[in-house]
Amino acid sequence: MDAPDPLILDLLTSLKAGPKPYREVMEAWRTSCPRLPVWEDAVDLGLVRRDHDLVALTEAGAARLDTRA
């Protein structure tokens, strides 16, 4: 993964305490800049999931955080 990796880890860390409202996550992490697709990359990599109006870490996302520690 290229440059957004630290930003994706920041997104995962923000979800570590538990699910957050989708709207809140979108306000903080969605971008229209094609060079910084943090939200899109995290979803494509299977690191986060959307369950109705909540966003949560997947098992893969939690594992990714564990490998960073």
Side-chain angles (χ1 to χ4, degrees):
M1 186 181 313
D2 293 331
D5 192 51
L7 293 174
I8 290 173
L9 291 173
D10 287 346
L11 169 59
L12 300 180
T13 299
S14 76
L15 295 169
K16 187 175 183 175
K20 289 189 175 188
Y22 176 77
R23 181 184 199 123
E24 179 182 323
V25 174
M26 285 297 96
E27 286 176 11
W29 293 101
R30 184 174 48 198
T31 179
S32 60
C33 177
R35 298 190 72 156
L36 291 174
V38 177
W39 165 255
E40 293 85 358
D41 284 351
V43 171
D44 289 347
L45 292 169
L47 303 174
V48 297
R49 70 176 185 277
R50 181 177 177 195
D51 293 323
H52 302 286
D53 290 333
L54 294 176
V55 175
L57 284 176
T58 62
E59 287 183 28
R64 183 72 177 260
L65 282 176
D66 288 344
T67 62
R68 183 180 85 158

